[in-house]
Amino acid sequence: MGRERGSAMIWLTLMLCFQSSFAATFMVGDASGWGYDVSNWPKGKTFKAGDVLEFTYNRANHDVAVVDKEAYESCKIPQEAPVFETGDDLIPLKKGDNYFVCGFPGHCEGGMKIAITAT
């Protein structure tokens, strides 16, 4: 029984390493980080489900809300939307459309939002 468990752990570790080797991490906004006028940042990039977006920002001035298309377009964040506030957030992409906005007043309207489609 101990051998089976050990083999299962090795297999699981290898699978996790194998799977993570295909995911990429993207720093949103590149060297500038998560800020105003970042909405064009995704253009020309290819994203896959499981890729990770890294949002770096001053947490006293910004946050990252994960929203749906309607909230992205209206810049009105639903109460139940997940909001990240650490200043260095890692958020994996789901397959399909992914929308992110800053929840501070006026920031989304100022262009602090991105829409990404992951295949």
Side-chain angles (χ1 to χ4, degrees):
M1 185 113 143
R3 266 189 173 167
E4 289 174 7
R5 185 174 186 179
S7 295
M9 290 302 289
I10 290 170
W11 183 83
L12 179 60
T13 301
L14 289 172
M15 287 302 295
L16 289 172
C17 290
F18 181 72
Q19 186 177 30
S20 66
S21 69
F22 290 106
T25 299
F26 294 89
M27 183 175 286
V28 175
D30 298 319
S32 299
W34 176 234
Y36 292 104
D37 298 320
V38 75
S39 58
N40 287 325
W41 171 80
K43 289 188 178 162
K45 295 175 179 63
T46 302
F47 301 95
K48 294 180 283 190
D51 285 349
V52 176
L53 298 184
E54 182 174 5
F55 291 84
T56 57
Y57 55 92
N58 180 332
R59 59 187 258 174
N61 299 321
H62 305 296
D63 61 17
V64 182
V66 181
V67 297
D68 60 16
K69 184 177 182 177
E70 181 180 338
Y72 174 83
E73 291 175 349
S74 70
C75 289
K76 295 189 186 324
I77 301 165
Q79 188 74 23
E80 68 277 1
V83 178
F84 296 82
E85 303 172 318
T86 70
D88 190 13
D89 304 310
L90 300 172
I91 305 174
L93 293 172
K94 64 177 179 58
K95 186 172 183 161
D97 296 329
N98 295 263
Y99 300 96
F100 307 92
V101 302
C102 180
F104 278 55
H107 292 203
C108 177
E109 293 86 349
M112 203 166 171
K113 61 183 186 175
I114 58 172
I116 293 175
T117 300
T119 56

